[in-house]
Amino acid sequence: PSHEVNREAIRATMRRVVEEWGYDLVKVDFSGYDIMGRWGWQMPRRATSAETLPFVREDLTTAEVMTMFYRDLREGAGDRATILGCNTFGHLGAGLFDIQRTADDTSGREWEPNRINGVNTLAFRACQQGSFFEVDADCVGITEHVTWNLNRQWLDLVARSGTALFISADPRAVNSTTIPAMKEALARASRRSDVGEPLDWLETTTPARWRFVDEVVTYDWYEEPRSGWDT
């Protein structure tokens, strides 16, 4: 991404997507792993993999190269498109990306990733909403594979949270039960509100008690009773 030929190709690609193809929302995904060779959870010991090639610009730090890459994406898109950064470094993309995916993947196949990744990141990253970027805790995946009672609560939390709401709905799961809930959630999310505040964040990694302005809502993220601390 520091090679001048590639940099121009990146800017040209974004211009094509926005100006010629007419997209006004562009999600930029996978570049963190593509460039660094590691996922974020693998980076505490070493930021890059042993197979990672050096940058052409060896006079720049990795952070400088990544920021330059993000600036090239922004320059190519101009101010005509909203950019959603995913698998990107949030603090480097602040001011360049409009929206930032702050979570590892949620899931439409099983519930647990929604609790561990979605609820967790919303609780501990929502404080960046509107300061760094719009926070995206990942999609609410409405499918036949995820228990609706749990998914309905996740949908409600994101809609109330004051952060970005994206819904990925399998047509087979769109019915007389889910349609009213999605309509209500989208209507609620379309109205600007203060960011939701988790109240039990010192007790659990997936807070269940939330304050939304002057209302406190309690969710149940588990289908079965549990004991001990959530880890």
Side-chain angles (χ1 to χ4, degrees):
S2 66
H3 195 294
E4 286 302 322
V5 172
N6 292 334
R7 292 187 64 194
E8 178 50 39
I10 291 165
R11 292 189 291 263
T13 298
M14 288 295 283
R15 284 194 294 269
R16 183 183 311 117
V17 169
V18 174
E19 296 177 9
E20 298 180 25
W21 296 354
Y23 284 95
D24 54 20
L25 171 62
V26 182
K27 179 187 176 189
V28 180
D29 199 353
F30 198 66
S31 61
Y33 186 90
D34 199 27
I35 294 173
M36 307 292 286
R38 286 180 181 270
W39 300 112
W41 59 269
Q42 297 173 313
M43 291 183 181
R45 297 185 63 182
R46 180 184 171 90
T48 58
S49 71
E51 294 76 29
T52 302
L53 295 174
F55 297 119
V56 171
R57 288 285 304 275
E58 295 185 343
D59 60 315
L60 300 176
T61 66
T62 300
E64 288 174 315
V65 171
M66 297 299 283
T67 303
M68 186 167 63
F69 170 55
Y70 298 162
R71 290 188 185 281
D72 287 336
L73 292 169
R74 180 79 269 171
E75 181 182 333
D79 58 3
R80 297 174 56 180
T82 296
I83 300 180
L84 193 168
C86 184
N87 188 221
T88 51
F89 298 96
H91 61 297
L92 301 179
L96 299 172
F97 298 149
D98 305 283
I99 313 172
Q100 178 72 26
R101 172 69 53 77
T102 56
D104 203 342
D105 291 343
T106 54
S107 176
R109 294 184 177 274
E110 54 182 331
W111 164 249
E112 196 65 359
N114 301 302
R115 186 183 70 83
I116 293 176
N117 299 330
V119 175
N120 172 273
T121 194
L122 193 59
F124 296 97
R125 296 286 299 278
C127 59
Q128 297 173 341
Q129 168 69 21
S131 296
F132 284 11
F133 30 60
E134 297 286 318
V135 168
D136 168 26
D138 205 356
C139 304
V140 178
I142 298 177
T143 72
E144 298 174 327
H145 304 292
V146 180
T147 303
W148 172 241
N149 180 54
L150 294 169
N151 229 4
R152 174 188 58 78
Q153 297 180 84
W154 170 227
L155 174 65
D156 184 76
L157 172 60
V158 180
R160 292 174 182 267
S161 69
T163 67
L165 169 64
F166 290 95
I167 298 175
S168 297
D170 185 334
R172 291 170 294 186
V174 176
N175 52 47
S176 59
T177 299
T178 59
I179 287 177
M182 286 192 287
K183 284 184 175 181
E184 180 181 353
L186 289 168
R188 187 189 299 272
S190 70
R191 298 187 294 269
R192 279 291 180 183
S193 63
D194 293 339
V195 176
E197 176 190 2
L199 300 179
D200 51 345
W201 64 277
L202 290 176
E203 305 165 19
T204 174
T205 57
T206 53
R209 295 181 61 246
W210 291 72
R211 177 185 288 116
F212 306 106
V213 191
D214 57 355
E215 181 182 7
V216 174
V217 178
T218 300
Y219 300 98
D220 182 1
W221 304 126
Y222 296 85
E223 292 186 82
E224 301 293 337
R226 70 194 189 285
S227 61
W229 285 69
D230 181 22
T231 58

